Structures are given as structure tokens and as C-alpha cells.
Amino acid sequence: MLGLRDIKKQNNPQKFDFEIALAGNPNVGKSTVFNALTGLKQHTGNWSGKTVTNAIGYYKFREYTLKVVDLPGTYSLSSNSDEEVISNDYIESGSASCIIVVVDATNLERNLNYVLQLLSKTQKVVLCLNMYDEAKSKGISIDIDELSLQLGVPVVCTSATKGHGLNELKKSSFDIASGKTKTYKTINLTKSDDYSLRIEQIYNQCTNICSSCIKSNNEEHSSNKNRIDKIMTNKITGLPIMLILLCLIFWITIVGANFISEYLSLLFNYIKGVLYSLFTTFNLNDVISDFLINGVFTTLSWVVAVMLPPMAIFFPLFSLLEDSGYLPRIAFNLDSCFYKVGAHGKQSLTMAMGFGCNSCGVIGCRIIDSQREKNIAIITNSFIPCNGKLPTLIAITSILLTNIVCGFLKTIVTALILLLLILLAVGITLLTSKLLSMTILKGQKSSFMLELPPYRKPQFIKTVVYSLKDRAWFVLLRAVVVAIPAGAVIWCMANLNINNISLLNYATTFLDPIGKFFGLDGVILIALLLGFPANETVIPIMLMAYSSSGTMIEYNSITQLNNILTSNGWTTIRAICFLLICMFHFPCSTTCLSIYKECKSIKLTALSMVIPTVIGLVMCLLVNMIGTIFI
Amino acid sequence: MNSISLDKVKFGEMSVVTEIDINNFRLYDIGIVRGSVITPLFKSMFGDTVAFRIKGSIIALRKDDCKKIKVKLLL
């Protein structure tokens, strides 16, 4: 029972009086209830030994402190998946003094399957009938007292997004936890070896309970919502809407991030100046000062300035899209493409997440149930360029277009080329998925099942705030853990000299012939290798190597970058090859670590690094060969 | 009354599940068990995936899987 040990031994063990758990189906508003109860006093992590998210928070009721554990949302409490095993173990351990089972009032019959399974294991339960307002507006009327009688537990109606019913929920759960309210066992489930038979009989009981508790059920209202879905998923309007929405999100991310990045860069430059004068005042050794400022701090500031703004924009937008209920429709629409290559429709979503950050995309692959299809999604995730690679791609594309277009037209053409590159990435992803399905990851195609929750208006401010908090923490952590050692190594390579030539120079000269073979050069290769910790540092490393300056420098304009590159032998072909190898090479260190954590296989992690690199090199070789023949 | 496979049911027509030839626990958990009422609602862009109403919620299934579920039309 590893999961339990993890909860009992926390980093900051806060004292609490009672432990409460939140359980229920996915898409019932469990997270909303959790957030409403605990506010920002929560901590998200993983269940020990498993790759399932676990959230723990605290709230106060009168003078008591209650600890809330958010169990994974599952449709059942058998032991068919990691999530179910965790929930089961936890419930049977008796750690919780009260379990709040959150139920979607608009969908009571299906939710009762979970509730009845829960009630057969423990009676210390409060039924939280969430989305109650929504049910009422749909004409669904539930007899609360009758439901409570039949289940033997208290029932509290809530509308967590509006904040209704939370106080009653706190009181009810406290009463159960403290023993003030007693519940009684009313549910008996038959034990059968045939799983389908067992669930069938549970559903028979659910139907009976519902027929005596649900007074009226207006089905006509739902046909209006179906109309929206018919527009979102039909042949003519479905694809354009999807493309426009995704392009819009990408565009807002790129433009907004650019804007914020510039200001962050100014801030970091200012801090750099302050550090410089500080070190000079304290007479710190020149070499150490240079190491700290130009090595460590510069890398740190690059990583934060480049990664934080796009992630701060993209992921909140993505979360809003998720809360609105639209995301499953994307998987629904695109499933055919993925099914034909042996993958899963949900891979479209993990690819979209990979655009924000490859590491997050890899972790997001948890939404795919079949291990084989999950592995395909994980290995191909890094084909989609992440936010860290975007400034690099945009800068080099801009340079390629320098003598061809200019001004406003240039920004449009740059955007179109970027779109083309992303479409190329998608194409390569599908092709690679097909190849993997036919060779290394051969296996059965899973049966697909996806719930399409009703469209709901997301809680804008709350979603954005929670997402920002998570993302900012992630980037800053990565900046410290990855950027600092990376900066140290890069500085050493550039400033440690043997016979007056830096290690960096030795490396670039050594790799140059190999680079030239693929249409690149030694500097590009070393920049990609040293950029393994963080892709954002590739161009600064290149500039450092070209200018032999010993420090990573930024470019102040595209013209300046263009000059440096052309004076170092860059041609159109090399720029194109660079774009290709930048997109198709081994993922960054954070992503590789995530890949290992998610599939626990060195073989798969190695494949995830080798496959993109091989594809990139092959493409470069082809472009180089074709280019040298025709130009 | 004869059973037909789920992929042959027209949109908006309600039917009752009589036989399931797929061994996926999640299908049972979501409510696709013998005796459940199921109604096709709409299909995806490329037509290979269909959304159904089951027990008050909307669940999407692939056409290939639908061929393995037998139902009886509710008239």
C-alpha cells in the first residue's frame, strides 16, 4: 500500500483533526469541490510509486482542521487500473474518517454505480449532489430525502462553481467524521466472478433507486446542447472550427509571450547589472564573478525569460478549453486519423499539450489507458515543437525571409511557415506512430471509449489562477534545477583553455566534419548537445561559439543575428537544415526524465531520444544533398 | 424481435443492449451492460466514431466496436 505511506509521511506535515477523502467519477466537479474547500492551501503531487496525481489540502471547520485527500476520479472501484487500485486501497485502509462522494446530479444513474460500490465497502460517506443548479434548470427534480433513505447516508446538494451548499457539506462531513451522525448499511451487492454480470446487477439497483427518487426528467432540453455538438463535429464545420481555435491559442501564446519575454529580459539585465556592481564592491574574484554572472545567471535568466511567459499563457488557455468541455471533442473528431496508424485519439490532446511543454505533454499521456498507445504518444511527443523551441524557429525563419519579404507581410509569412513546420511535425508523428505500431510497439488496438461531458462555462478567474500557480512553480523549479548546472557546464566549456584554445573550440572543430556532412556545422551540433538541459539556450550557445566571446550573448535584432550567422558560413541550406534538426532531435533533459518516470523503461526512454534524432539527421542529409545538387 | 448490431441503429433511435462481445471493463463501468438503453446522437468528422447517450451521459465509441454490441430496437 505505497500510496498510503505517501500521504502519511508528508513534507510539511500539518496537524489536523480529521482526514476526509473526495471520491467520485471523472467530470463531476470533484476538483471544483476540492478547490472550493481548500482554496490555495493545497499541494499536488503523485501517489508514491505510481504515476497518478494526488492532491492534498486543508480547511477549517469551526476550530477544527480537516485534511482533504483528493482520490483519482474513476468510473468504478474494482482493480482494473492504477487509479482504481489506489482508490480501493485507500478506502479499505480506513484512513479517512469520512468520504465525500461527489456525484453529478444531471447524471445520477451512472454515478450511482460508483456510489453503490463505495457504500458496500464503508458507510462513513456523505453524498455530495453537485451541479444541482444545473440539474434543476434541466428540469431534473430529485427527492433528496428518499435518496438519503435508500442509500443510508446524508445527501448534500451543492453547486460548487457557484459556492452553494459548501457550508452544509463541511458540516455534514464533520458530523460523520466526528461520529455525531450515524449511517446505516442499506446496500448489498452480489459477489460474482463475472465482472459484467456484477456491474449489470449494480446498474439494476441504480435504475430502481433512480426511478423512486427522480421525479421528473426533461430529455428535450439536452437536444439544444446536441445542436452545438452537431456543429462542432460535423464534416464541414468541425475541422475549420478546430483549426481556428488551435491556431488562435498558438497565436495568442506566441505574441503574448514575446511581449512579456522582452520585459523579463530587461528585468534580468537590470539584476545582472546589480549583481555585477555587488560583486565588484565585495572584490569577488573576477573568474568566479564571471562564472556566476555570465555562466549561471545568464542561463537562468534565459530559461525563465523564454519559458515562463508562453507557459503562463498557453496552459491557462488550455485549462479553460478543458473546463469548457471542448477538448474531448477534439479527440473525438481526430480519432479516425490516430486509429488508422495504430494510436489513440487522445494523442491529439497530448500533442497539443506538448506544444506548451514537451515534458507536460509526456505526463499528459496518462489520459491514454492502453500502455501500448501511451508509449506511442510518449515517444512521438517531442516532434511537436515546444514553447522553448519557438523563439529559435521564429528567429531563423525570419532570417531566411530577410531578402524575400519585409514588414507586416513578413510576420504573416513567418506565421505561415511556422504553421507549415507544425503540420510537418504532425505528419511525421502520424508516420512514426504507424511505423512503431508495425514494428516495436506491435499489439492490439484498444477499444476506444471517451466521455463527452456537457459544455459548461468555465470559471475563468479560478482556472487561470490555479493554472498559473502550477506552471510558474514548474518553470521556476526547472530553471533552478536545470539551468544552474547547465550554465556552469557551458561556461566551463567556453572558458577553460588548453593551449589557449577553449574546450568549446576543440569540440566544435572536432564535430565540424560530421556537421558539414549533414548540412550543418560543428557549432550547431555542440549547441544542440549543450542545449540538452534546456532548448532555449541553443542560439545563445551558438552565438557564444561563433564570437569566441566566452559568454552567452543575446542578439538585439534579427539583422545582427543574420550578420553573425552569415559571416560564419551560414547558407540558406544550412538554415533550413538547422530548422529541421532543431525540431527533430532528442528531447530536453526535463522531458527525458518525465519519459522515464512515466514508462519506467530505459529502452523506451532511449528510443524517445534516438528516433527523433535519426529522423532529423536523415531529413538534414536529404535537404543537404538535394540542395547541393540544385544550387 | 431480432437483435441488430449497434452500428446499424439510426440517430435518435433508442435501443436496449442484449449482448456485448467486447472485453473492456470500462464499457461495463460506463453503463453499457445488458438491459441498458442506448441512443446514437451524432458522429465525428470522419464518421468512424459515434457519440451515444447512455444513462444520461454522452459516450463516444468507434464503429468497429459498435459492430460487436448487439441491441434490440425500442419501438
Side-chain angles (χ1 to χ4, degrees):
Chain A
M1 297 212 185
L2 294 168
L4 300 173
R5 246 189 274 142
D6 181 49
I7 306 179
K8 293 191 162 139
K9 167 189 61 158
Q10 261 196 286
N11 290 332
N12 306 310
Q14 187 172 334
K15 280 206 173 3
F16 59 91
D17 300 299
F18 296 106
E19 184 165 320
I20 306 229
L22 279 180
N25 282 177
N27 293 321
V28 295
K30 203 158 53 69
S31 310
T32 320
V33 173
F34 182 76
N35 289 336
L37 286 175
T38 62
L40 286 169
K41 294 194 237 54
Q42 53 171 272
H43 159 82
T44 314
N46 270 0
W47 289 80
S48 174
K50 306 247 194 268
T51 55
V52 178
T53 329
N54 131 337
I56 294 182
Y58 299 87
Y59 70 89
K60 274 193 128 36
F61 178 73
R62 296 187 193 147
E63 68 273 19
Y64 300 96
T65 305
L66 290 101
K67 173 178 173 184
V68 189
V69 176
D70 192 13
L71 295 179
T74 60
Y75 292 113
S76 187
L77 278 176
S78 38
S79 301
N80 296 322
S81 69
D82 278 351
E83 285 95 345
E84 291 178 9
V85 168
I86 287 174
S87 301
N88 233 344
D89 284 352
Y90 180 84
I91 292 169
E92 284 175 5
S93 75
S95 304
S97 319
C98 170
I99 301 189
I100 300 176
V101 58
V102 184
V103 158
D104 181 352
T106 65
N107 199 356
L108 189 58
E109 196 179 338
R110 206 276 305 288
N111 277 249
L112 279 180
N113 171 25
Y114 185 97
V115 175
L116 294 191
Q117 290 189 35
L118 177 66
L119 289 177
S120 71
K121 294 175 198 279
T122 170
Q123 270 68 57
K124 298 188 122 189
V125 173
V126 171
L127 189 95
C128 171
L129 207 57
N130 198 24
M131 295 166 177
Y132 191 67
D133 290 6
E134 202 180 305
K136 273 215 324 234
S137 67
K138 279 186 170 175
I140 301 173
S141 171
I142 304 177
D143 187 342
I144 314 291
D145 298 320
E146 179 65 30
L147 187 62
S148 184
L149 193 71
Q150 295 224 10
L151 296 176
V153 293
V155 173
V156 176
C157 300
T158 62
S159 203
T161 48
K162 297 188 182 151
H164 299 163
L166 292 167
N167 287 329
E168 287 81 34
L169 188 64
K170 287 185 186 177
K171 178 167 190 312
S172 245
S173 39
F174 174 77
D175 286 345
I176 297 267
S178 58
K180 202 164 138 207
T181 311
K182 297 267 186 260
T183 53
Y184 44 100
K185 187 177 173 101
T186 59
I187 303 297
N188 287 306
L189 300 181
T190 47
K191 301 235 181 281
S192 169
D193 279 337
D194 185 345
Y195 188 74
S196 70
L197 197 65
R198 225 192 308 155
I199 303 291
E200 212 182 294
Q201 289 173 347
I202 297 179
Y203 268 115
N204 280 338
Q205 291 198 38
C206 297
T207 317
N208 289 338
I209 296 176
C210 281
S211 56
S212 51
C213 298
I214 299 184
K215 287 204 203 106
S216 57
N217 202 334
N218 194 348
E219 284 276 331
E220 280 161 35
H221 189 271
S222 18
S223 63
N224 285 332
K225 288 284 170 73
N226 279 346
R227 227 171 281 161
I228 304 181
D229 258 325
K230 291 212 169 90
I231 302 175
M232 292 294 183
T233 60
N234 79 45
K235 269 189 279 229
I236 306 169
T237 50
L239 189 61
I241 293 182
M242 200 164 55
L243 287 177
I244 293 175
L245 256 173
L246 286 174
C247 282
L248 197 69
I249 294 185
F250 292 163
W251 188 81
I252 297 177
T253 305
I254 296 172
V255 170
N258 213 25
F259 190 68
I260 305 178
S261 278
E262 282 182 24
Y263 281 102
L264 271 181
S265 296
L266 286 171
L267 176 69
F268 281 117
N269 271 335
Y270 176 72
I271 299 178
K272 200 193 273 200
V274 167
L275 281 177
Y276 204 64
S277 40
L278 211 79
F279 288 168
T280 328
T281 322
F282 283 104
N283 259 328
L284 191 64
N285 184 315
D286 266 350
V287 176
I288 298 185
S289 166
D290 194 64
F291 170 75
L292 286 174
I293 296 181
N294 289 317
V296 173
F297 183 74
T298 305
T299 316
L300 190 77
S301 56
W302 258 88
V303 169
V304 175
V306 172
M307 271 315 259
L308 187 60
M311 286 186 75
I313 299 177
F314 180 80
F315 282 104
L317 283 178
F318 200 76
S319 299
L320 284 176
L321 206 61
E322 189 179 9
D323 285 357
S324 72
Y326 181 66
L327 279 190
R329 270 82 181 169
I330 297 182
F332 176 68
N333 272 330
L334 295 177
D335 181 57
S336 303
C337 304
F338 288 92
Y339 184 50
K340 291 200 175 82
V341 296
H344 195 279
K346 287 185 189 172
Q347 189 169 327
S348 58
L349 300 177
T350 61
M351 283 164 68
M353 276 192 260
F355 180 82
C357 168
N358 280 156
S359 172
C360 302
V362 163
I363 296 177
C365 290
R366 291 176 189 176
I367 58 177
I368 301 175
D369 302 313
S370 137
Q371 188 63 41
R372 183 189 77 87
E373 287 160 357
K374 190 189 298 191
N375 289 339
I376 293 181
I378 288 178
I379 293 178
T380 57
N381 196 280
S382 67
F383 290 148
I384 305 288
C386 71
N387 283 165
K389 291 185 186 170
L390 280 183
T392 311
L393 294 175
I394 293 175
I396 303 297
T397 309
S398 234
I399 289 183
L400 272 173
L401 295 173
T402 304
N403 295 322
I404 307 176
V405 279
C406 58
F408 184 63
L409 188 63
K410 192 176 186 190
T411 51
I412 301 216
V413 178
T414 312
L416 284 175
I417 293 190
L418 204 66
L419 190 65
L420 216 75
L421 285 174
I422 293 179
L423 288 176
L424 176 70
V426 172
I428 301 269
T429 304
L430 290 173
L431 213 75
T432 312
S433 302
K434 176 114 194 138
L435 279 166
L436 286 171
S437 301
M438 296 194 308
T439 54
I440 312 170
L441 291 177
K442 221 188 287 193
Q444 257 197 332
K445 296 188 183 181
S446 72
S447 49
F448 176 88
M449 181 225 80
L450 183 68
E451 180 169 6
L452 299 179
Y455 291 107
R456 297 194 162 107
K457 199 172 110 180
Q459 294 180 286
F460 286 94
I461 301 180
K462 287 205 180 129
T463 308
V464 169
V465 169
Y466 281 110
S467 187
L468 270 175
K469 173 178 168 263
D470 269 338
R471 293 305 143 197
W473 178 244
F474 175 82
V475 174
L476 292 174
L477 196 69
R478 175 172 171 268
V480 169
V481 170
V482 164
I484 292 179
V489 168
I490 295 170
W491 188 91
C492 290
M493 289 278 297
N495 289 290
L496 290 179
N497 295 328
I498 303 177
N499 290 338
N500 264 334
I501 303 177
S502 71
L503 291 175
L504 187 67
N505 265 333
Y506 277 117
T508 54
T509 322
F510 177 72
L511 290 174
D512 206 58
I514 307 174
K516 294 263 164 64
F517 179 67
F518 288 105
L520 306 162
D521 68 12
V523 170
I524 297 175
L525 290 184
I526 205 67
L528 289 172
L529 285 169
L530 288 176
F532 174 65
N535 278 306
E536 309 88 281
T537 54
V538 168
I539 287 193
I541 296 174
M542 276 178 10
L543 294 180
M544 172 173 69
Y546 283 134
S547 61
S548 306
S549 68
T551 69
M552 292 204 298
I553 46 179
E554 300 173 22
Y555 54 93
N556 291 322
S557 71
I558 294 294
T559 331
Q560 186 188 38
L561 180 63
N562 196 0
N563 290 337
I564 299 179
L565 294 178
T566 31
S567 57
N568 276 286
W570 273 54
T571 60
T572 312
I573 308 240
R574 190 175 294 178
I576 297 177
C577 288
F578 176 76
L579 282 178
L580 290 172
I581 198 76
C582 178
M583 277 191 39
F584 300 108
H585 73 282
F586 46 81
C588 72
S589 58
T590 318
T591 307
C592 289
L593 200 66
S594 300
I595 294 177
Y596 182 69
K597 278 192 194 162
E598 293 297 307
C599 44
K600 306 245 192 307
S601 149
I602 296 191
K603 175 177 161 204
L604 282 171
T605 312
L607 274 175
S608 314
M609 296 176 74
V610 168
I611 293 179
T613 315
V614 167
I615 292 180
L617 288 174
V618 166
M619 291 176 92
C620 285
L621 193 63
L622 284 171
V623 168
N624 193 26
M625 286 188 340
I626 297 175
T628 37
I629 295 176
F630 289 105
I631 297 179
Chain B
M1 254 289 274
N2 281 331
S3 288
I4 58 173
S5 60
L6 187 54
D7 62 314
K8 300 213 166 53
V9 180
K10 298 200 190 80
F11 291 123
E13 272 185 346
M14 301 209 288
S15 54
V16 179
V17 178
T18 54
E19 207 185 301
I20 307 166
D21 207 7
I22 309 171
N23 212 351
N24 188 344
F25 299 128
R26 269 194 189 76
L27 284 182
Y28 309 143
D29 293 337
I30 210 93
I32 303 180
V33 287
R34 285 183 292 253
S36 298
V37 175
I38 186 166
T39 317
L41 296 173
F42 52 88
K43 65 178 175 34
S44 71
M45 261 166 23
F46 299 106
D48 287 344
T49 328
V50 183
F52 295 92
R53 173 164 297 113
I54 282 261
K55 305 236 180 259
S57 54
I58 302 181
I59 306 291
L61 298 172
R62 287 184 180 138
K63 259 217 172 115
D64 282 353
D65 293 328
C66 291
K67 292 185 180 139
K68 300 182 188 158
I69 302 176
K70 300 272 182 294
V71 300
K72 224 188 266 197
L73 285 174
L74 273 180
L75 290 162

